[in-house]
Amino acid sequence: VIALYKRDSVTALCWVVLGLIIVLKATTFPMGIWESIGPAIFPLGAGIVLIVLGGILFFQSRDKGQRGPNERRAPLIPRGTAFARVAMSVAAILLAATFLQFLGFFLTMFCLALSLLRAIQARGWGVDLFYAAVFTAGSYLLFQLLLKVSFPVGLLGF
Amino acid sequence: MDTIHFLFFGFGTLFSPTILFACFIGVLIGTLVGVLPGIGPLGTMAILLPVTFAMDPTTAIVMLAGIFYGAQYGGSTTSILVNIPGEASSIVTCMDGYQMARKGRAGPALGIAAIGSFIGGTLSVIGLMFLTPPLAKLAIGFAAPEIFALVVFGLMMVCSIGSGSTLKALIMATLGIFVSLIGREPMQGFARFTFGSFTFSDGVGLIPVAVGMFGIGELLTNIEAMAKQEVFKTDLRHLFPSLRDWYDSRWPIIRGTLLGFFIGIIPGPGMIVSTFFSYWTEKHLSRHPEKFGTGVIEGVAGPETANNAAATGAMVPLFALGVPPNPVMAMLLGAFIIHGIQPSPFFITEHPRLFWGIIASMYIGNVLLLVLNLPLVGIWVRVLKIPHRLLFLLIIICCFIGVYSLNNNFYELYIMIFFGIAGYILRKLEYDPGPFILAMVLGPMMETNFRQSLAISRGDPAIFLQRPISATLLILVLLLLLSMLLFRFRRRRKEG
């Protein structure tokens, strides 16, 4: 369990660094003149504001940490099965995006549905395979046949 | 007289089977997402936006607006029966609604919530109908400096009134502005932060970002928690409130309508603020304030009326000025832009069919919602029992297909996943993603109007202070910032 003010300090520093990167990159864009300001000004402004706000958050969180009792929150990264559920769900969506073109809509949807069912709350394999097939057929009917959304055909050819 | 004439014109537009069906689907989905905790109207609108591409703008906007105000109705069901707010704007309803359910009075609680929502929703449409056209006429004189000041003021209000830390909300708004700057800028076509990528040259799309942050992000939070589904078993046969309930609710409903409508117009999370304000008002005006929280009907009637009235009130600045007062309205603005319509003070004169069609649809939508939420409340109770894993799966598949079908671009799926993970982490760090989306929509408007203002004044930044409306709005922003600093300074002194 990490104290909230420590998290805030770390994220505040991240905003300061991001703000600096934005400012540095923005200085390479044309600045223009007052009558016709260039594309650099707004990103430059956004970067500076981000640095200032990040700085305020950093000092505010340090101040809070020194003055009051540490405010504690649930872990940033979940533990145990909760972590497995989240990580496997993200991995399933990421893999589906990566292999959509190669596998095609039908296979990708089936694999995505099955892996999400297993990741979120697995029941028996038979039940999960059944629901994965139902969801795949349903999404195929709705999106490909009814709404005529075009998807890559992939391995199966449809 | 003109207003009534135009209203009939709106009903004429609405009575096409397609638009009526879209209105029904919108309020049905709205009630569904309102009932289900975990996914809100913003995420749903983002997920369903690609589906509307094939529709004509009136049909699409009528459906999306239906989702928004429909969600305010559905939220009360979960608050009363499960003690978990289906929507953030139904948090207050838990206090007395759930207590009424525990006392075996879930029926009257659900009944008064639906009836109050209907009255608040319908009366505020009348307000919207009469207030928006004159406000738009007044705003026709707005030039670039006024619009810039209005956008800054709106963003500042959303950040300062929103839930949680104002500083974090401001950081999120700044990040949203930064993301909106990615791609070719509108005035000279210069590519910014694209890093040579073709996908980024047109900018980062609103839909992948919104679906990621509000669809995937919220789902990951729910998948992590996987709360137990427990629905309070209660008698739902007697939904109509008794004469005594009606008598006790009459003033809370009237006050809730007025409070909700006018708070909804102000930029900020009006739906949530109006419910707390309504509850606070009713408690302070009540002869028995000590009973609040133990299951009094006024504690349900006032807030549930207020959130529906606020949802309609929030449409006034969008239709009259073209400036969204909250993130959900920003999503609706995004939908307008995607369908080739730029809301502005000229919106009503340029698109009367669309504006009066939406107004007419809201009258019909409120009647449909009353039917959906009173006699059919049993269906929504059963919906609450659908296993979450199946609902989550359905939503993820809709997110995935919705984002891919936008441009058949794989990179947009990666953008969705990136913002999904970002949204999940940022929520844990207590950053509200609302200001991010609002700023992302308003960013280009802000930059274009700022640059045009300086071009008009030949580079003199004093133009913002020389025009009374922009000067007033910017002074208000400054006062808001100063009041926050003062508040913090006083609190520190108090803490010693």
Side-chain angles (χ1 to χ4, degrees), chain B residues 35 354 490:
Chain B
V35 168
L354 181 54
R490 286 181 111 183

Side-chain angles (χ1 to χ4, degrees), chain A residues 4 7-8 11 15 18 22 25 29-30 34-39 42-43 46 49-50 53 56-57 60 63 67 73 75-78 82 85-86 89-90 93-94 96-98 100-101 105 109 112-113 116-117 120-123 127-128 131 135 139 143 147 149-152, chain B residues 51 148 167-168 170-171 174-175 177-178 181 185 188 190-193 195 216 220 223-226 389-390 392-394 396-398 400-401 404-405 408 410 413-414 416-417 421 424-426 428-431 443 446-447 450-451 454-455 458-459 461 488 491-492 495-496:
Chain A
L4 187 69
R7 283 184 194 170
D8 278 348
T11 44
W15 304 136
L18 180 64
I22 295 169
K25 184 71 187 164
F29 305 152
W34 275 106
E35 285 92 328
S36 164
I37 61 166
F42 239 68
V49 171
L50 197 57
L53 293 174
I56 296 172
L57 181 64
Q60 216 179 62
D63 188 40
R67 285 148 56 86
R73 290 286 186 276
L76 187 62
I77 299 166
R85 281 199 298 272
V86 174
S89 302
V90 172
I93 305 168
L94 205 57
T98 310
L100 179 62
Q101 192 146 34
F105 176 76
M109 277 305 116
L112 176 65
L116 283 172
L117 284 168
I120 297 170
Q121 204 171 45
R123 295 280 180 263
V127 177
D128 289 347
Y131 277 123
F135 272 92
S139 53
F143 292 102
L147 293 172
V149 177
S150 90
F151 287 105
Chain B
V51 179
F148 170 77
L167 186 58
K168 287 181 176 178
L170 285 170
I171 289 173
T174 312
L175 287 171
I177 290 172
F178 165 65
L181 299 175
E185 48 95 29
Q188 293 168 12
F190 187 85
R192 294 182 295 200
F193 305 102
F195 302 100
I216 303 290
L220 291 177
I223 287 171
E224 183 191 329
M226 278 307 272
R389 66 185 204 123
L390 298 182
F392 293 165
L393 175 62
L394 181 70
I396 290 176
I397 286 180
C398 285
F400 191 89
I401 297 174
Y404 179 77
S405 63
N408 289 7
F410 297 95
L413 284 173
Y414 292 122
M416 174 192 81
I417 297 166
I421 298 168
Y424 166 68
I425 294 171
L426 287 169
K428 289 194 139 196
L429 293 167
E430 298 179 359
Y431 286 84
M446 203 168 156
E447 183 182 17
F450 180 75
R451 290 169 76 172
L454 287 179
R458 295 175 187 271
R488 191 171 159 71
R491 203 175 59 185
R492 275 201 66 171
E495 284 168 1

